[in-house]
Amino acid sequence: MPKHFTQNDFLLSETAVLPGNEVLELQAEAPSNIALVKYWGKKSGGVQLPMNASLSFTLSRSKTQTRARLTPLEKPAGQVSFDVRLDSRPRPDFAPKMARFFERITPYAPYIHFYRWEIDSHNSFPHGSGIASSASGFAAMARLVMQLGEQLGLACNGDFCVAKTSFLARLGSGSAARSVAEPVMLWGRDDNFPESSDLYAVRPAFDLHPSFDDVRDTIVLIDRGVKPVSSTRGHELIHQHPFRKARLETARKNLLALAGALQTGDWEAFGRVLEAEALMLHALMATSNPPYILMQPETLRLIRDLQDWRNRTGRPVYFTLDAGANVHLLYPAAEHQAVLDLLKNTLPELYAANQYIPDKVKSGID
Ligand code: DP6
């Protein structure tokens, strides 16, 4: 039986750590991730617990780097005192989510209250590119909080450390739970995967087939605007959704099939499930109450062209979408030039303007 941590394992008493009296400068970075099986919907009655288990690839180029200057307070504040910047510019619009994160993690890291936090984040991907920064952003924050604990003398080792970082990140944003290790992460309890947990993400117990050793993800940046409906709202809408039950059953089947394909090296089966997941996510949005569409005409053009091209050439290149219009193209490294040629033909203006990120799945040696 794999070792599971409970919520209590992560609790920390207020007296477990004594405040330091020096100003601390910490920095941490965390990668973004792309879900292969999507997290869509939270369990009612819990805090940030997923309705279904999700599986993701961790990315190597798209990441968030965060610095924090921590000034000791005379008296710990009831609420964490902080300000938050992106690329040195104040972002008061980030404050509510950050305040909620600090509040939720307090029982597990009460020492955050000893300091005033000046947080400055930088994303490697272009701002407003539609790439969710909440996954890498909250994973970087969780790493900072863990680092602070270590500086104050809390030892943290191995699996416990990764699990607690993921647990804290999850309380900021669900998908952030998966941004704490690589190359594949599993978050959410599913009995087919005894190592899995709703509380934190884990590396699944199976090994990836060598044909998944060097996977590329070219992220095609189709829409730079702000999403009309947030993922957080999307997660809420699933509760009254007419297809809720079908979604749960399908996610479970898809997870099993995808895990199988990753182990056997079956790119075709991998692609079939990957694309079915992406289209189901967007179909759920289109059939929510109220319904909404996040794809753009270019999203569909690229998907249709990719599928035609694949039927003609047999190349193992497949798409997925997150909650937005951008398209992620996943393929083995050998297909890279062919993918750029496809992009150039299908969306020439976007290609000429460099509106894509040639990312790759992060492996332990990156
Ligand atoms: C479609 O993690 O952004 O990208 O937990 O409310 O912060 P919150 O939501 P978030 O949802 C991500 C949804 C998704 C699928 C996925 O990443 O699994």
Side-chain angles (χ1 to χ4, degrees), residues 43-87:
K43 281 195 175 123
S44 26
V47 181
Q48 293 284 97
L49 302 176
M51 209 175 76
N52 65 277
S54 59
L55 190 79
S56 58
F57 277 148
T58 309
L59 299 180
S60 42
R61 278 195 57 184
S62 305
K63 56 189 170 193
T64 300
Q65 288 162 324
T66 302
R67 284 185 292 125
R69 186 182 155 81
L70 304 181
T71 313
L73 296 171
E74 296 267 305
K75 214 169 127 242
Q79 281 180 337
V80 173
S81 146
F82 67 91
D83 64 47
V84 55
R85 293 164 186 261
L86 182 68
D87 295 325

Side-chain angles (χ1 to χ4, degrees), residues 36-38 52-55 186 190 192-193 206 246-262 269-281 284:
L36 312 174
V37 175
K38 311 293 180 183
N52 65 277
S54 59
L55 190 79
L186 171 65
D190 183 318
N192 290 315
F193 300 85
F206 59 81
R247 167 59 192 154
L248 282 173
E249 283 161 13
T250 310
R252 207 172 135 79
K253 277 191 204 136
N254 284 348
L255 178 60
L256 202 57
L258 212 123
L262 288 172
F270 167 83
R272 212 170 31 239
V273 185
L274 186 78
E275 297 189 350
E277 268 295 305
L279 293 176
M280 186 170 206
L281 173 69
L284 288 168

Side-chain angles (χ1 to χ4, degrees), residues 68-360:
R69 186 182 155 81
L70 304 181
T71 313
L73 296 171
E74 296 267 305
K75 214 169 127 242
Q79 281 180 337
V80 173
S81 146
F82 67 91
D83 64 47
V84 55
R85 293 164 186 261
L86 182 68
D87 295 325
S88 311
R89 297 219 177 93
R91 292 299 298 257
D93 50 324
F94 291 175
K97 263 199 146 185
M98 192 64 84
R100 202 183 53 184
F101 168 70
F102 281 133
E103 192 187 317
R104 284 179 178 164
I105 68 167
T106 291
Y108 314 100
Y111 52 81
I112 55 176
H113 291 258
F114 296 159
Y115 296 89
R116 166 161 175 77
W117 292 64
E118 287 166 83
I119 303 162
D120 196 356
S121 265
H122 168 75
N123 294 327
S124 68
F125 38 89
H127 182 56
S129 62
I131 299 187
S133 56
S134 66
S136 49
F138 280 109
M141 280 305 299
R143 283 193 169 148
L144 281 180
V145 170
M146 293 298 286
Q147 243 186 64
L148 175 60
E150 283 188 57
Q151 293 245 350
L152 297 177
L154 286 173
C156 183
N157 291 313
D159 286 351
F160 176 80
C161 199
V162 179
K164 182 156 180 183
T165 309
S166 173
F167 176 91
L168 297 178
R170 184 197 104 230
L171 294 172
S173 178
S175 51
R178 300 185 310 244
S179 269
V180 301
E182 64 279 330
V184 180
M185 292 299 278
L186 171 65
W187 172 48
R189 180 65 196 169
D190 183 318
D191 290 341
N192 290 315
F193 300 85
E195 68 278 28
S196 64
S197 168
D198 277 351
L199 298 177
Y200 52 89
V202 295
R203 288 194 190 90
F206 59 81
D207 283 331
L208 281 188
H209 187 273
S211 71
F212 286 97
D213 271 356
D214 190 358
V215 178
R216 301 299 165 104
D217 177 2
T218 292
I219 312 169
V220 185
L221 305 175
I222 285 175
D223 193 355
R224 317 189 102 228
V226 174
K227 284 190 283 187
V229 181
S230 71
S231 292
T232 303
R233 180 77 187 116
H235 291 298
E236 285 165 12
L237 291 174
I238 201 76
H239 285 290
Q240 306 304 326
H241 202 289
F243 303 153
R244 183 176 181 277
K245 190 156 171 271
R247 167 59 192 154
L248 282 173
E249 283 161 13
T250 310
R252 207 172 135 79
K253 277 191 204 136
N254 284 348
L255 178 60
L256 202 57
L258 212 123
L262 288 172
Q263 289 168 81
T264 56
D266 186 344
W267 267 90
E268 213 222 305
F270 167 83
R272 212 170 31 239
V273 185
L274 186 78
E275 297 189 350
E277 268 295 305
L279 293 176
M280 186 170 206
L281 173 69
H282 284 257
L284 288 168
M285 295 172 186
T287 49
S288 281
N289 182 12
Y292 61 105
I293 300 176
L294 298 182
M295 287 190 275
Q296 293 287 351
E298 293 85 350
T299 313
L300 280 179
R301 193 174 323 146
L302 184 54
I303 291 176
R304 299 291 292 265
D305 270 19
L306 167 70
Q307 291 182 330
D308 285 349
W309 174 81
R310 194 170 63 219
N311 288 341
R312 282 197 315 275
T313 62
R315 290 182 181 276
V317 181
Y318 300 92
F319 75 84
T320 188
L321 308 166
D322 54 18
N326 295 337
V327 180
H328 289 245
L329 298 172
L330 295 180
Y331 52 89
E335 304 297 334
H336 188 60
Q337 191 51 50
V339 167
L340 293 185
D341 293 342
L342 170 76
L343 196 54
K344 192 171 173 183
N345 282 329
T346 301
L347 298 170
E349 284 173 16
L350 189 146
Y351 177 81
N354 262 312
Q355 292 293 308
Y356 61 92
I357 300 174
D359 213 324
K360 59 184 280 207

